[in-house]
Amino acid sequence: VTAIADAEIPTAANPLFQHMLETYASETNKTSSIWGSIDVSDLDFRPHARSSSVREIMKHQLLSERRFFGEFLGTPEPAAALVLPTEETPT
């Protein structure tokens, strides 16, 4: 699953920072590909009783990225309800 096509990656105002945009797109595409390969029936899977479920890990990742970009860009964090999907499916 490609979330950000190469043609959609913007050109950095300063060419020294182009790699940051390309790396972000690459990492986003990798994450999207992995999450897209998970079946809904696997969301509650836990490799160990004390570990997080796939669903909990997905939520944690979305909320962590929200916090990272809020702090990194100095923007207010959107409410968790706006970040988490209303329908819990990996695709």
Side-chain angles (χ1 to χ4, degrees), residues 35 43-44 52-67 80-81 83-90:
W35 285 126
L43 289 177
D44 293 317
S52 298
S53 69
V54 173
R55 179 186 319 274
E56 291 165 337
I57 293 168
M58 184 181 285
K59 286 181 181 181
H60 173 76
Q61 178 175 354
L62 290 170
L63 295 175
S64 293
E65 288 183 12
R66 167 190 77 143
R67 164 114 344 129
V83 174
L84 297 173
T86 54
E87 186 177 332
E88 293 187 353
T89 60

Side-chain angles (χ1 to χ4, degrees), residues 3-76:
I4 303 172
D6 287 345
E8 295 177 301
I9 301 171
T11 302
N14 182 329
L16 292 174
F17 300 116
Q18 187 63 36
H19 73 283
M20 294 171 68
L21 297 172
E22 292 168 0
T23 300
Y24 174 78
S26 173
E27 294 302 312
T28 298
N29 287 336
K30 288 178 209 173
T31 301
S32 177
S33 177
I34 293 299
W35 285 126
S37 68
I38 295 172
D39 189 73
V40 175
S41 64
D42 295 327
L43 289 177
D44 293 317
F45 172 75
R46 294 174 189 270
H48 186 275
R50 294 177 55 186
S51 68
S52 298
S53 69
V54 173
R55 179 186 319 274
E56 291 165 337
I57 293 168
M58 184 181 285
K59 286 181 181 181
H60 173 76
Q61 178 175 354
L62 290 170
L63 295 175
S64 293
E65 288 183 12
R66 167 190 77 143
R67 164 114 344 129
F68 170 78
F69 282 103
E71 291 175 0
F72 183 72
L73 298 174
T75 59

